Amino acid sequence: MRDDCLELELTPRRYQEMDDDPFILSIFELLENKKAIIRDFSAVLLESEYTLLISGIKMLIMGNQDKIHLETIEPLLILSINKENGNYSFKIKIILKDDSKLNSNLFEITCNKEKLESFAEGLKSNLENVKKPSKLL
């Protein structure tokens, strides 16, 4: 997902497959003006949370709901998507632990319906073709 200033990428990779709802290691990147400012490999979502995000975006596009809210397990990433004036506003809050303090940054991306549909389709495709867990895990 991107606008003129920011780009958000969320990529799933299998972490473990020990039950019906496996954890998915989420490779999260936030780029600003083509310069990486956040690249995090520790956000972990359940497969069901990815599915919930994808279906939530579809419900948002169809007009059945007007917002989505998702927090990772850490919580290291808080993602909200709101429909505003015919466009969709992503609010991305990143919480980082620095010694004993928590630091947070908030970023916003605005997109149209086509970009949101493309983002949801990309997530769905990535989840369907998610890579197997590393042998080291």
Side-chain angles (χ1 to χ4, degrees):
M1 176 57 51
R2 72 174 60 127
D3 67 7
D4 293 339
C5 297
L6 290 173
E7 179 179 341
L8 167 69
E9 183 175 324
L10 190 59
T11 307
R13 184 179 180 109
R14 286 255 178 251
Y15 179 66
Q16 59 88 359
E17 299 186 66
M18 299 176 79
D19 56 26
D20 292 337
D21 193 7
F23 284 105
I24 305 293
L25 176 70
S26 306
I27 301 170
F28 167 72
E29 290 186 343
L30 184 63
L31 306 157
E32 187 172 21
N33 293 326
K34 302 191 192 266
K35 178 182 175 188
I37 56 172
I38 299 287
R39 180 174 285 153
D40 188 274
F41 298 91
S42 63
V44 179
L45 300 177
L46 291 169
E47 186 172 13
S48 61
E49 291 171 319
Y50 265 99
T51 303
L52 189 64
L53 177 60
I54 294 164
S55 66
I57 290 173
K58 289 182 180 181
M59 297 291 279
L60 194 65
I61 291 168
M62 292 186 327
N64 296 338
Q65 63 188 53
D66 57 358
K67 63 183 172 181
I68 298 170
H69 184 80
L70 177 73
E71 291 185 30
T72 60
I73 254 178
E74 289 292 322
L76 151 58
L77 168 69
I78 300 171
L79 173 66
S80 299
I81 307 172
N82 297 300
K83 186 172 184 179
E84 299 174 358
N85 302 321
N87 285 316
Y88 301 89
S89 172
F90 279 67
K91 289 187 173 57
I92 305 141
K93 186 173 186 178
I94 301 158
I95 301 168
L96 301 171
K97 269 189 180 179
D98 183 18
D99 297 324
S100 62
K101 292 190 288 184
L102 291 178
N103 295 316
S104 67
N105 292 304
L106 179 67
F107 301 93
E108 291 188 43
I109 298 175
T110 301
C111 69
N112 60 24
K113 180 180 176 181
E114 291 77 25
K115 285 185 179 182
L116 186 60
E117 287 172 336
S118 176
F119 182 67
E121 287 304 312
L123 283 177
K124 181 179 175 188
S125 175
N126 286 343
L127 189 58
E128 288 170 353
N129 299 302
V130 71
K131 295 176 183 176
K132 295 293 180 194
S134 167
K135 300 286 185 205
L136 298 174
L137 294 178

